[in-house]
Amino acid sequence: MAQLIKEPFSGYYHREVPEHDRELTEVGPGTPCGEYLRRFWHPVGMTAELKDLPKRIRIMGEDLVLFRDGRAKIGLLELHCSHRGTSLEFGMVERCGIRCCYHGWLYDVDGRVLETPGEPPESTFKDRFFHGAYPTIEYKGLIFAYMGPPEHRPEFPIYDSFELPGYRMVPGGETEHKYIYDCNWLQLAENNADQVHFVFLHDPEEARTKLDRYRPSVSGGSLEDYFNVGLKEFDSDLTAIRENFRSRVLEWQESPLGVIGIHTRRVGDLVWVRLGDYIMPNVDQFAPSRFRPTGELDFGPLYMTAWTVPVDDTHTVAYQFRYAPENREQRSVARPLRSSQSINRTYEDRQRQPGDYEAQESQRPIAVHALEHLGATDRGVTLVRKLLREGIRALQRGEDPKRAVSSVGNAISTYCRNTVLRIPPAETPEADRELLRNTGRKVVAAVLSGQPVSTAK
Ligand code: FES
Ligand SMILES: [Fe+2]
């Protein structure tokens, strides 16, 4: 943690910017975190994107080309041709594999060199080596790749959320350059273990819009009105949001998958427990937060499983599956997490109404953990970092990375959900907070052990 400055006007003693935490943030080949992440399957593209043209992508600092050939096989190959380095993004996708535009070498999806048409017909050159290739799996609209050592390739994990009865999955992810976050992957990943930011960043959106009426930079009003009237209104809105939030209980706990976030609040006679999963190393599952509890509910399904995928050390892309009830009309493609509307806003607009991208990208291209001052509400973030470090170090000791295992059938049990129990309020606010805390913990215990949630009463 940062050294605390103890005197006012002491910037002079706080100018050094220490190095970022290389162990947790750097993802290139051979780095500790990069090698750890490479032991898992990650989404690298979407079915909908692959047409006749190949797609150039960058994942964990490696430049690659992604394509689907005429046999509908997906290829993920080293970008630069093995012959003399021309980029295969300019190649021709054929029935079998992709052909380099420069001298026509043809590569199969597994890296086999099928043709070197300029070489003498009797040449066996092409049979003596492979082009770099990675295995892929296409699953419900997303394309996943495994980029680790072939001998350690794990099974593709199927989470039970992928098999929610009555729900269909809507794949999402925007890989166009303009949607790529210009910051390190961990900033996006750990944001999902930080529910407190909602109170300050997201929930006051409306209050900030109201404030525009008083902003000299928008309406031309006076600064006096801005500070004396506008900001006063804003403060009382924010106080209401904050007080509402203070009445809830937020906790984090390790789970067989990684971390469970427990968010417990009271709604009249009901206690609403919202559980979120952080699945190591970079998967998050969220339950709907705009949900109106009306009665007891054992299992309210999640709305999203999301992957944070490093492009390189300072760029990141997000992929998701959103869950939509089968009988409800839904947009066919999910909204990207970083919407074009947000990145097309003016700088001043972004200052007035900042969102996730403003908050996360501006932590620096790679956040410097040594300068942070982490408090009690950062427990989710510290827990994620701790598990990540443990995983990285275990791999370095030669251990296989810990992964979630399936418990029923083929699917891996996950815990994300909304749950509601009827439990009348305790006598005092303090006692009720304690009651909420205990209820949240009991719900987690029940869910982890596969018991009905009603046992948490
Ligand atoms: S550089 Fe690709 S075939 Fe020559
Ligand atoms: Fe957010």
Side-chain angles (χ1 to χ4, degrees), residues 20-35 37-38 58-62 180-188 308-317 360-361 364-367:
H20 55 269
D21 187 336
R22 301 177 65 166
E23 189 178 30
L24 299 191
T25 56
E26 293 186 3
V27 296
T31 57
C33 182
E35 289 305 307
L37 291 175
R38 278 171 175 74
R58 190 169 159 81
I59 302 287
M60 294 189 283
E62 295 183 46
I180 291 179
Y181 277 68
D182 296 324
C183 67
N184 185 254
W185 76 279
L186 190 56
Q187 279 144 255
L188 262 77
T308 304
V309 182
V311 170
D312 55 28
D313 290 347
T314 53
H315 299 92
T316 303
V317 62
Q360 290 160 33
E361 282 186 357
R364 296 184 172 87
I366 307 183

Side-chain angles (χ1 to χ4, degrees), residues 120-142:
E122 67 281 6
S123 167
T124 57
F125 187 32
K126 68 175 176 51
D127 305 325
R128 283 181 265 144
F129 68 96
F130 284 82
H131 186 70
Y134 292 115
T136 59
I137 285 178
E138 191 171 17
Y139 185 80
K140 302 198 182 192
L142 289 184

Side-chain angles (χ1 to χ4, degrees), residues 81 83-86 100 102-105 107:
C81 177
H83 180 215
R84 279 174 47 213
T86 292
C100 177
Y102 206 5
H103 313 95
W105 287 23
Y107 301 106

Side-chain angles (χ1 to χ4, degrees), residues 5-227:
I5 313 185
K6 301 288 172 94
E7 300 288 335
F9 291 122
S10 295
Y12 182 84
Y13 297 109
H14 200 252
R15 294 173 302 177
E16 264 175 55
V17 180
E19 218 185 32
H20 55 269
D21 187 336
R22 301 177 65 166
E23 189 178 30
L24 299 191
T25 56
E26 293 186 3
V27 296
T31 57
C33 182
E35 289 305 307
Y36 171 67
L37 291 175
R38 278 171 175 74
R39 294 300 187 94
F40 298 86
W41 289 90
H42 302 288
V44 298
M46 297 176 65
T47 296
E49 297 176 310
L50 291 188
K51 303 200 174 96
D52 56 311
L53 293 177
K55 186 173 159 81
R56 177 189 176 142
I57 60 171
R58 190 169 159 81
I59 302 287
M60 294 189 283
E62 295 183 46
D63 289 314
L64 304 162
V65 66
L66 182 69
F67 62 94
R68 181 204 306 279
D69 76 5
R71 300 162 301 175
K73 289 195 181 173
I74 306 265
L76 181 61
L77 305 183
E78 240 178 87
L79 183 70
H80 295 285
C81 177
S82 284
H83 180 215
R84 279 174 47 213
T86 292
S87 173
L88 294 175
E89 79 201 274
F90 301 110
M92 174 85 86
V93 176
E94 299 205 348
R95 174 146 182 84
C96 287
I98 189 167
R99 188 182 298 278
C100 177
C101 67
Y102 206 5
H103 313 95
W105 287 23
L106 179 69
Y107 301 106
D108 204 344
V109 296
D110 61 358
R112 209 175 297 268
V113 189
L114 297 173
E115 290 176 18
T116 51
E119 293 293 299
E122 67 281 6
S123 167
T124 57
F125 187 32
K126 68 175 176 51
D127 305 325
R128 283 181 265 144
F129 68 96
F130 284 82
H131 186 70
Y134 292 115
T136 59
I137 285 178
E138 191 171 17
Y139 185 80
K140 302 198 182 192
L142 289 184
I143 296 160
F144 292 80
Y146 171 72
M147 293 170 59
E151 63 280 16
H152 291 293
R153 174 162 135 195
E155 264 183 55
F156 177 72
I158 306 274
Y159 300 117
D160 56 2
S161 25
F162 297 169
E163 299 180 343
L164 272 179
Y167 280 75
R168 65 194 166 86
M169 285 149 84
V170 185
E174 280 291 345
T175 51
E176 264 179 71
H177 186 76
K178 63 179 182 181
Y179 293 109
I180 291 179
Y181 277 68
D182 296 324
C183 67
N184 185 254
W185 76 279
L186 190 56
Q187 279 144 255
L188 262 77
E190 66 188 12
N191 166 69
N192 297 331
D194 169 8
Q195 287 87 340
V196 181
H197 83 270
F198 274 83
V199 182
F200 301 93
L201 186 65
H202 301 311
D203 292 346
E205 256 175 42
E206 219 172 285
R208 280 195 294 253
T209 306
K210 258 170 46 192
L211 188 58
D212 281 354
R213 287 188 311 216
Y214 298 97
R215 285 183 186 272
S217 68
V218 178
S219 60
S222 73
L223 262 184
E224 212 171 312
D225 271 2
Y226 173 71
F227 285 118

